Amino acid sequence: MLIDTHSHIYSEEFDADRNEAIGRAKLAGVSHIVLPNIDASSIDRLASLSRSDSEYFYVANGLHPTSVNVDYRKELELIFSDNTFASLTNVVAIGEIGMDLYWDDTFVEEQKHVLDFQLSYAKERKLPVIIHCRNAFGQIMDVMSAGYRSGMTGVFHCFSEDYEAAKQVLDMGFNIGVGGVLTYKKSTLPDVVARIPLTSILLETDSPYLAPVPHRGKRNEPAFVACVAEKLSQIIGRDYDDVCETTSANAKKLFNLN
Ligand SMILES: [Zn+2]
């Protein structure tokens, strides 16, 4: 059993062959897929896929940091409306949320504010969070330290920081999300995952992005989470089945999946 804890398979990149991609995921042993939202424009797609099979797809609702701009108030209003929550089945987390200062730091203050809002929303409803962090680890930790750490759970998805940062994430009681980057030649992630407990690792694809070797450069899809599990098993010297079972148990616990 494998769980893809982060896939955007509802996006238009899969419009031509979504059912085939889902079939391949099932063949590869993927038992559950968590679908994180991006912004208000992606809710309808997310809702219709989650409704198509509510025992296979689980939803994280939230506003992605790269979609934060001058209109963020309207976005938050739409995303966190009763209507939106009514249209989504199986909301298991708030995500993806966080900060991204890689391409553009024009809206850094707005990103902080939006992260803060979504963290308090999640905390109030006792939901875990899926954190997107790019070139912004210190800023995210600053926002999170403002009273949110205690009692919150979640995952830093597609983790790409160093061991010291990983330790801070683990000390907070959060998990580390590991995807295709683990398989890349120049990645420093193998050294990090070798030093952290398997019980804190979640597997993910972030499909359609960041396809693992040997699919690097092509469209990623949930079935390829098996390549990540394979690589992780080599790095830490544990059985493939053990890696799949333990990381799936981690995901089930965090997102309260059946
Ligand atoms: Zn994502």
Side-chain angles (χ1 to χ4, degrees):
M1 181 209 280
L2 273 164
I3 297 182
D4 184 356
T5 60
H6 197 112
S7 171
H8 302 279
I9 191 174
Y10 57 84
S11 67
E12 62 188 14
E13 279 88 345
F14 289 95
D15 281 356
D17 65 341
R18 187 170 294 102
N19 285 337
E20 288 83 348
I22 294 165
R24 288 191 291 270
K26 289 179 175 169
L27 267 179
V30 177
S31 60
H32 306 67
I33 300 179
V34 179
L35 309 169
N37 191 24
I38 300 291
D39 55 32
S41 71
S42 43
I43 287 167
D44 287 348
R45 289 175 158 274
L46 188 60
S48 83
L49 184 59
S50 74
R51 275 200 302 261
S52 73
D53 188 346
S54 58
E55 280 170 23
Y56 199 66
F57 296 109
Y58 296 82
V59 171
N61 187 26
L63 177 57
H64 192 290
T66 59
S67 291
V68 172
N69 55 43
V70 286
D71 293 326
Y72 76 87
R73 282 187 189 82
K74 189 150 185 27
E75 281 284 324
L76 287 178
E77 213 174 282
L78 284 164
I79 290 168
F80 290 95
S81 70
D82 291 344
N83 271 350
T84 296
F85 277 92
S87 76
L88 298 169
T89 55
N90 294 342
V91 176
V92 295
I94 297 303
E96 55 187 291
I97 67 176
M99 293 183 67
D100 189 321
L101 305 178
Y102 183 75
W103 298 110
D104 186 358
D105 61 4
T106 314
F107 297 107
V108 59
E109 288 311 314
E110 288 83 351
Q111 285 193 28
K112 280 184 192 168
H113 179 78
V114 169
L115 173 60
D116 186 72
F117 172 87
Q118 298 188 100
L119 284 169
S120 42
Y121 187 96
K123 186 168 186 179
E124 220 170 86
R125 282 155 187 83
K126 298 189 168 55
L127 286 169
V129 291
I130 297 175
I131 303 281
H132 170 107
C133 170
R134 203 162 179 209
N135 279 32
F137 187 74
Q139 288 91 336
I140 288 177
M141 293 305 269
D142 282 349
V143 176
M144 295 189 76
S145 64
Y148 294 113
R149 291 183 192 209
S150 64
M152 283 207 78
T153 57
V155 55
F156 275 64
H157 112 83
C158 196
F159 190 79
S160 55
E161 307 292 324
D162 61 9
Y163 174 69
E164 290 311 314
K167 240 181 93 25
Q168 288 184 57
V169 169
L170 299 185
D171 285 347
M172 254 184 351
F174 274 58
N175 297 270
I176 304 279
V178 174
V181 174
L182 186 69
T183 67
Y184 297 171
K185 228 179 185 166
K186 287 181 181 158
S187 173
T188 54
L189 204 53
D191 302 319
V192 177
V193 298
R195 295 173 70 187
I196 61 176
L198 184 59
T199 48
S200 296
I201 296 177
L202 303 188
L203 300 183
E204 61 167 271
T205 59
D206 202 11
S207 43
Y209 314 108
L210 298 168
V213 172
H215 310 286
R216 192 174 182 181
K218 298 185 201 128
R219 184 191 68 175
N220 198 1
E221 62 176 65
F224 299 166
V225 74
C227 307
V228 181
E230 189 77 55
K231 182 72 181 183
L232 183 57
S233 116
Q234 286 166 18
I235 292 167
I236 64 174
R238 303 259 294 252
D239 252 26
Y240 176 78
D241 289 345
D242 185 14
V243 165
C244 295
E245 245 165 68
T246 306
T247 56
S248 294
N250 301 341
K252 284 186 167 187
K253 188 175 162 209
L254 178 66
F255 297 120
N256 201 13
L257 308 178
N258 296 317

